[in-house]
Amino acid sequence: MNTSGLMRELLELCRRVYDKGFVSGSGGNISAKDGGDMLITPTGRNLGALAEGDIVRVRLTRNGPGKNRESVVVGSGIPSQEWRMHCRCHERPDVACVLHVHSSYASAVSCLEIDSACGMPVYTPGYSVRVGRLPVVPYFRPGSAELASAVGDHIVGTAAAPGRNSVLLANHGILSVGASMEQAMNIAEEIEENARLFLLLGGRGRPLSETQQAELAGTY
Ligand SMILES: [Zn+2]
């Protein structure tokens, strides 16, 4: 997709995320890969009110996202304070979009003591296929290099574990990635819905078994 098409789709996604109530105030941030750069939402702005001139272009450096943000910005603007986290996730070649939101139910679950390997019980087929195991990243200060590194290890993967498409950030929110913006948004919506069910059920739910989840693989 060319840059103007990408920009239009990114702004539409920002609006959709805002309309869904997945962010409030100036919270949340979204980026889209554009060749060797990423287009990312600016710091301190409401995602529901952005225009093309507000989006910031950041160079995806091969040396990792450790430099200060002024040195990686191409053109003007100040990127989201979570730009390092986005840079790190874009290191995975098939990632086209990184979406980070503070949706209410998922954020509530992120404040519970839950299994850090699985995140939440799996209740529905859609959640099983699109999310399944949701790793929990321990709390780190928003915008910190530590948060970027911890999230990136799960999304990009390590020698010991392949990359995942989503994580729950303890006492913070969620992050999802996709080969398209729609895919990243679908994952975020599945997580929010499963979190809502989890809280509604109050521990009385009957999760899908491992066998039932295995049967679903590749059916969506
Ligand atoms: Zn955040």
Side-chain angles (χ1 to χ4, degrees):
M1 190 183 295
N2 62 26
T3 298
S4 64
L6 204 60
M7 182 73 80
R8 195 166 49 246
E9 198 182 336
L10 178 59
L11 290 170
E12 281 170 12
L13 180 60
C14 289
R15 184 76 216 177
R16 196 167 145 211
V17 160
Y18 177 77
D19 288 345
K20 289 282 292 183
F22 279 13
V23 293
S24 52
S26 59
N29 30 80
I30 307 175
S31 67
K33 191 179 275 163
D34 186 19
D37 298 341
M38 69 173 173
L39 304 175
I40 185 168
T41 51
T43 190
R45 293 288 308 279
N46 187 305
L47 294 189
L50 295 178
E52 193 167 327
D54 299 319
I55 301 295
V56 184
R57 177 176 290 274
V58 165
R59 185 120 306 156
L60 297 170
T61 64
R62 283 190 178 182
N63 299 325
K67 296 177 183 170
N68 64 45
R69 63 183 172 189
E70 289 75 18
S71 71
V72 292
V73 169
V74 182
S76 61
I78 303 175
S80 159
Q81 67 166 348
E82 301 287 15
W83 64 274
R84 285 188 189 85
M85 185 167 78
H86 287 256
C87 277
R88 179 80 175 94
C89 294
H90 279 294
E91 285 177 23
R92 208 175 97 190
D94 65 315
V95 167
C97 175
V98 180
L99 187 151
H100 165 56
V101 293
H102 308 149
S103 52
S104 300
Y105 291 101
S107 295
V109 170
S110 83
C111 299
L112 298 173
E113 292 289 349
I114 54 173
D115 184 335
S116 63
C118 297
M120 289 183 281
V122 174
Y123 292 119
T124 64
Y127 182 79
S128 173
V129 171
R130 295 200 183 91
V131 182
R133 187 175 68 79
L134 179 68
V136 182
V137 173
Y139 179 81
F140 293 103
R141 182 178 57 77
S144 65
E146 291 80 7
L147 179 62
S149 173
V151 169
D153 285 350
H154 285 291
I155 298 295
V156 177
T158 62
R164 304 291 305 173
N165 287 337
S166 50
V167 289
L168 189 66
L169 312 182
N171 295 80
H172 188 162
I174 58 177
L175 178 139
S176 61
V177 302
S180 67
M181 295 191 211
E182 184 176 346
Q183 195 178 31
M185 184 61 179
N186 283 345
I187 291 170
E189 290 191 27
E190 290 285 358
I191 295 171
E192 181 66 356
E193 181 60 17
N194 200 73
R196 194 168 76 91
L197 293 178
F198 181 56
L199 295 171
L200 278 172
L201 290 164
R204 296 177 312 227
R206 183 185 56 249
L208 292 177
S209 67
E210 292 288 337
T211 307
Q212 287 169 327
Q213 291 184 56
E215 280 172 2
L216 289 164
T219 57
Y220 273 60

